């Protein structure tokens, strides 16, 4: 199969991402905003702000929105420009309730004239764009829904099918148990009183919505951009300032510590380019520096392996988990193949656990997950676990001769073939679509081999006024979308509570301490649930009641664990964690779009 490698710009124009609809001529603000935010939003080179977000992912954008809703000034810095995360999220209902609360707080504080409006004059409601019983799910382009061009759809899909397939051997023989579970009903409207304060409770609840991550990120970004546009047009003091295509200066004075320890930041504009097959960013020569004076609160949330956090002394440690197999704690790590395939998975979470055996007959448990989007046949996000004992050796498979150069095109092509064949084989098992038919379906991404490793920081607070949050503080198994929820729902609420505490007269030191404690506790709650995905039987994002139902169907304890975990002794080469740049450099496999409804999982195993 021939791979067509596209540049980022070409990819965004490709039909697979469906960015083809015309710009709405009536949308007066959306086109201008996009141009405006590529530079600074004010000409001044010295900026005062209450809240500074380094990184504009979901966590920090929610924190910016909470800050503005509390009457604070917020500034955000992002070197990547517009959002581009094309994975799919399984979303807990709390995020919907939070968006509704932000809408209410903005209206109460600023009035109708002080909140963003859409092109048709309607108030820009975050919650209504996200989900409403008055609109429908389906194929969507985020900007079309947000601007009001698309008046029919909301951004997310609801989940209609929750299915769990247990294909683990029983008494040494093949066995299958299929559990079909009740769907989580979406609420009629957002309810601020329904927001759960405990991250453990949030993650123990079921996923209620599904969405392309990018659409949610675009929703939050466009709202912030709309505030920028309103304030510039009215001449009022800027509530929001955005510095996209910028980064903290790479020189020693990027971060400047004041006498009291607080940190100010110097920014520089950057240019992104494809340098010898790798996305790189370099400072733009002679571009003016922008000084951000020490804010009351700065949060670094830039994804896994934040370099800015490391510059301020932030460190992480691997999370070790005792799998109760007699070998003591081992690093929580698993390898997966990820792919984005044009199959109508629909509003569904289907998960499968199965037995895999090494050459000595030892049993391992491996997992797959299929996630879709209600009414959209071009969304099939599938991850399949690679057993710890498996290697992808082209020589052993007979695809190349022994002694061939491992850096040659021939060897790499054979290696890619092995990945693809294994991926299609495992996808066929969870989708129950024949392998030959799946090979004719279009893939927009993957299969990509990567490791998931649980890590957590020692202390979120790296300076008196700076904390680390989101995936930058801790990361784990993202089959559950727990990382996104921990950051956007849990960590972000910590900033809302920070401002409330300050308004109530709580000292800065006490407010900082409480925020850091909440970030660490929220991450620990996530990693505790995430750790189960490395060895335990149960699917954590089904919700605790559904987990118990699955365990009852399979006649197994909810805490049952795999007997063999060999992450510390795997034979494969060392793998890196998932690189966000991967989403900018997809590989397209031509093929058809599979629009037939998935059949319910067979109750009996087919003989292999």
């Amino acid at each position: 199969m021939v791979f067509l490698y596209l540049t980022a710009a070409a990819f965004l124009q490709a039909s697979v991402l469906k960015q083809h609809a015309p710009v709405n001529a009536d949308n007066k603000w959306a086109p201008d905003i996009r141009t405006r935010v590529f530079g600074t939003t004010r000409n001044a080179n010295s900026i005062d702000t209450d809240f500074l977000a380094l990184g504009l992912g979901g966590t920090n954008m929610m924190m910016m929105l909470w800050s503005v809703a509390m009457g604070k000034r917020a500034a955000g810095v992002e070197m990547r420009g517009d959002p581009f995360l094309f994975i799919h999220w399984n979303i807990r209902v709390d995020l919907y309730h939070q968006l509704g609360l932000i809408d209410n707080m903005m209206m109460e504080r600023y009035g109708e004239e002080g909140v963003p409006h859409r092109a048709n004059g309607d108030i820009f409601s975050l919650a209504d764009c996200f989900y409403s019983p008055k609109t429908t799910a389906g194929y969507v382009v985020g900007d079309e829904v947000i601007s009001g061009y698309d008046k029919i759809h909301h951004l997310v899909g609801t989940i209609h099918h929750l299915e769990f397939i247990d294909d683990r051997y029983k008494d040494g023989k093949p066995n299958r148990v299929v559990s079909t579970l009740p769907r989580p009903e979406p609420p009629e409207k957002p309810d601020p009183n329904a927001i759960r304060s405990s991250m453990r409770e949030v993650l123990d609840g079921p996923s209620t919505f599904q969405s392309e991550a990018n659409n949610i990120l675009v929703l939050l970004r466009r709202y912030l951009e709309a505030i920028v546009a309103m304030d510039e047009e009215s001449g009022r003091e800027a509530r929001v300032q955005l510095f996209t295509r910028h980064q903290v200066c790479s020189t020693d004075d990027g971060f400047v510590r004041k006498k009291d320890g607080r940190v100010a930041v110097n920014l520089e504009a950057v240019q992104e380019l494809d340098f010898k097959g790798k996305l790189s960013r370099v400072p733009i020569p002679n571009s003016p520096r922008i000084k951000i004076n020490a804010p009351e609160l700065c949060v670094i949330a830039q994804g896994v392996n934040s370099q800015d956090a490391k510059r301020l002394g932030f460190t992480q440690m691997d999370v070790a988990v005792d799998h109760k197999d007699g070998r003591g704690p081992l690093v929580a790590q698993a390898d997966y193949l990820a792919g984005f395939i044009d199959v109508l998975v629909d509003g569904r979470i289907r998960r499968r656990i199965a037995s895999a055996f090494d050459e000595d007959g030892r049993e391992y448990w491996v997992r797959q997950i299929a996630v879709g989007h209600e009414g959209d046949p071009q969304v099939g996000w599938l991850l399949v676990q690679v057993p710890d004992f498996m290697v992808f050796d082209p020589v052993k498979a007979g695809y190349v001769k022994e002694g061939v150069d491992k850096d040659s095109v021939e060897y790499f092509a054979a290696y890619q073939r092995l990945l693809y064949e294994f991926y299609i084989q495992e996808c066929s098992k969870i989708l129950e679509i024949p392998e030959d038919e799946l090979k004719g379906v279009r893939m927009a991404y993957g299969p990509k081999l990567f490791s998931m490793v649980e890590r957590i920081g020692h202390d979120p607070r790296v300076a008196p006024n700076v904390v680390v949050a989101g995936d930058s503080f801790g990361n784990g198994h993202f089959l559950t979308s727990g990382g996104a929820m921990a950051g956007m729902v849990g960590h972000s609420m910590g900033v809302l509570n920070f401002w409330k505490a300050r308004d109530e007269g709580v000292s800065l030191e006490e407010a900082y301490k409480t925020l850091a404690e909440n970030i660490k506790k929220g991450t620990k709650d996530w990693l505790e649930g995430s750790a189960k995905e490395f060895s335990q039987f149960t699917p954590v994002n089904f919700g605790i009641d559904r987990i118990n139902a699955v365990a009852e169907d399979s006649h197994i304890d909810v805490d049952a664990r795999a007997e063999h975990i060999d992450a510390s002794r795997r034979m494969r080469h060392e793998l890196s964690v998932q690189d966000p740049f991967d989403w900018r450099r997809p590989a397209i496999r031509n093929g058809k779009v599979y629009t037939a409804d998935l059949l319910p999982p067979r109750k009996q195993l087919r003989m292999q």
Side-chain angles (χ1 to χ4, degrees):
M1 183 79 67
V2 177
F3 279 77
L4 174 62
Y5 288 95
L6 301 176
T7 66
F11 177 62
L12 291 175
Q13 295 172 0
S15 61
V16 66
L17 288 184
K18 306 169 281 188
Q19 303 286 347
H20 63 271
V23 174
N24 182 7
D26 294 330
N27 188 342
K28 295 182 175 60
W29 55 263
D32 292 336
I33 287 173
R34 206 176 269 258
T35 302
R36 181 179 291 115
V37 298
F38 282 133
T40 64
T41 57
R42 288 287 188 267
N43 293 325
N45 289 330
S46 182
I47 306 295
D48 290 315
T49 189
D50 301 305
F51 177 77
L52 175 61
L54 296 182
L56 288 177
T59 297
N60 253 342
M61 285 196 285
M62 285 294 290
M63 290 177 172
M64 290 183 72
L65 290 169
W66 287 124
S67 298
V68 176
M70 285 294 293
K72 310 300 179 183
R73 300 164 299 174
V77 181
E78 174 58 64
M79 60 183 176
R80 299 183 181 96
D82 242 29
F84 64 87
L85 188 61
F86 296 108
I87 63 174
H88 243 63
W89 280 340
N90 295 315
I91 300 172
R92 309 308 197 269
V93 70
D94 303 78
L95 181 61
Y96 176 55
H97 295 316
Q98 287 184 343
L99 295 176
L101 178 55
I102 291 171
D103 286 334
N104 294 344
M105 292 173 65
M106 289 291 292
M107 183 64 71
E108 290 172 4
R109 182 170 295 277
Y110 300 109
E112 187 170 334
E113 296 302 315
V115 300
H117 287 64
R118 302 166 86 182
N120 59 5
D122 290 344
I123 291 172
F124 185 167
S125 166
L126 290 164
D128 286 347
C129 288
F130 180 89
Y131 170 78
S132 171
K134 298 178 182 179
T135 48
T136 62
Y139 149 79
V140 295
V141 175
D143 274 317
E144 294 177 1
V145 172
I146 294 162
S147 68
Y149 179 86
D150 181 344
K151 301 175 178 63
I152 299 173
H153 296 104
H154 45 249
L155 294 176
V156 303
T158 57
I159 298 172
H160 292 262
H161 308 281
L162 275 175
E163 301 158 342
F164 187 79
I165 304 170
D166 181 0
D167 279 345
R168 291 169 304 118
Y169 273 49
K170 185 177 182 179
D171 299 327
K173 297 179 181 179
N175 185 62
R176 166 166 285 202
V177 178
V178 175
S179 300
T180 303
L181 305 162
R183 66 169 296 200
E185 294 292 338
E188 288 292 315
K189 60 182 180 180
D191 179 6
N193 294 321
I195 299 172
R196 291 167 285 196
S197 59
S198 165
M199 200 63 226
R200 180 170 296 182
E201 290 180 8
V202 172
L203 295 176
D204 278 347
S207 300
T208 304
F209 304 106
Q210 293 172 318
S211 175
E212 182 183 276
N214 208 59
N215 283 337
I216 305 306
L217 298 178
V218 167
L219 171 65
L220 305 181
R221 181 73 69 86
R222 299 295 178 256
Y223 194 93
L224 291 167
E225 292 169 356
I227 296 174
V228 172
M230 290 182 64
D231 292 350
E232 286 192 346
E233 184 175 346
S234 67
R236 70 183 293 170
E237 181 184 12
R239 291 173 287 178
V240 173
Q241 299 187 69
L242 298 171
F243 304 92
T244 59
R245 311 284 185 192
H246 286 76
Q247 67 180 12
V248 178
C249 290
S250 52
T251 52
D252 291 342
D253 60 348
F255 290 104
V256 181
R257 287 188 183 268
K258 302 298 183 180
K259 291 181 180 180
D260 59 3
R262 293 184 307 135
V263 170
V265 178
N266 289 314
L267 305 179
E268 61 188 3
V270 294
Q271 175 187 357
E272 185 177 84
L273 67 154
D274 190 327
F275 181 67
K276 296 182 178 179
K278 183 177 180 180
L279 284 172
S280 301
R281 296 182 183 89
V282 296
I284 296 176
N286 302 320
S287 60
R289 283 191 170 196
I290 300 167
K291 179 182 179 182
I292 309 289
N293 297 318
E296 187 163 330
L297 177 61
C298 172
V299 175
I300 300 174
Q302 299 170 320
V304 178
N305 295 326
S306 165
Q307 295 305 306
D308 284 342
K310 290 179 181 177
R311 290 170 68 182
L312 291 175
F314 178 72
T315 58
Q316 283 184 315
M317 55 187 173
D318 292 338
V319 176
V321 177
D322 190 344
H323 300 290
K324 310 300 183 184
D325 58 1
R327 290 188 293 163
L330 295 174
V331 173
Q333 178 174 343
D335 296 349
Y336 277 79
L337 280 167
F340 195 75
I341 187 167
D342 286 7
V343 170
L344 181 60
V345 179
D346 210 4
R348 169 182 276 106
I349 300 177
R350 178 180 289 182
R351 299 193 60 168
R352 177 176 179 265
I353 187 170
S355 298
F357 297 89
D358 66 13
E359 293 178 351
D360 297 322
R362 296 190 302 175
E363 181 183 10
Y364 298 75
W365 294 353
V366 293
R367 298 157 179 78
Q368 298 106 33
I369 185 170
V371 174
H373 187 100
E374 183 183 3
D376 190 343
Q378 289 183 266
V379 177
W381 172 242
L382 284 94
L383 290 95
V384 302
Q385 186 175 357
V386 181
D388 287 337
F389 59 82
M390 177 171 285
V391 294
F392 296 101
D393 186 343
V395 175
K396 188 175 181 180
Y399 289 170
V400 296
K401 295 179 181 178
E402 192 169 354
V404 68
D405 184 356
K406 291 187 177 182
D407 293 327
S408 67
V409 174
E410 180 185 6
Y411 188 92
F412 182 73
Y415 172 74
Q416 290 289 331
R417 178 183 173 187
L418 285 170
L419 294 183
Y420 180 70
E421 288 175 345
F422 178 78
Y423 182 75
I424 290 297
Q425 169 190 302
E426 297 304 295
C427 286
S428 175
K429 293 174 183 176
I430 186 171
L431 295 175
E432 302 202 339
I433 298 173
E435 289 182 40
D436 288 344
E437 192 164 1
L438 268 184
K439 288 178 180 178
V441 175
R442 184 169 62 183
M443 287 186 68
Y445 172 83
K448 170 71 175 180
L449 183 63
F450 63 94
S451 277
M452 288 190 274
V453 184
E454 281 206 350
R455 307 199 78 199
I456 189 171
H458 294 276
D459 186 351
R461 194 177 178 193
V462 291
N465 62 331
V466 183
V467 297
V468 180
D471 285 349
S472 293
F473 180 69
N475 58 280
H477 208 300
F478 69 67
L479 284 193
T480 64
S481 298
M485 296 300 98
M488 296 174 69
V489 174
H491 295 179
S492 82
M493 281 291 284
V495 168
L496 171 63
N497 293 330
F498 175 90
W499 295 123
K500 286 183 175 180
R502 293 292 293 134
D503 286 352
E504 293 167 1
V506 173
S507 70
L508 259 178
E509 184 59 30
E510 188 62 29
Y512 288 138
K513 181 180 178 181
T514 301
L515 174 60
E517 289 174 349
N518 288 340
I519 289 171
K520 190 164 189 175
K521 184 179 186 305
T523 297
K524 283 186 171 181
D525 286 344
W526 168 39
L527 296 188
E528 183 178 312
S530 166
K532 299 175 184 177
E533 294 283 355
F534 291 94
S535 63
Q536 289 186 220
F537 155 73
T538 51
V540 301
N541 65 327
F542 276 20
I544 192 65
D545 293 338
R546 294 168 181 81
I547 288 173
N548 290 331
V550 169
E552 184 175 341
D553 289 344
S554 293
H555 303 290
I556 190 171
D557 189 272
V558 293
D559 294 322
R561 299 170 185 266
E563 291 184 9
H564 298 290
I565 304 290
D566 267 358
S568 63
R569 302 186 301 182
R570 59 167 45 87
M571 297 171 64
R572 286 190 299 280
H573 62 279
E574 195 67 28
L575 299 175
S576 61
V577 292
Q578 187 186 42
D579 185 345
F581 289 156
D582 290 340
W583 309 113
R584 303 283 294 274
R585 299 184 57 79
I588 308 298
R589 287 181 180 267
N590 293 333
K592 68 179 180 180
V593 177
Y594 190 95
T595 58
D597 290 333
L598 289 187
L599 296 175
R602 293 179 177 86
K603 297 296 183 181
Q604 299 295 326
L605 275 172
R606 289 182 299 176
M607 295 303 294
Q608 298 295 323

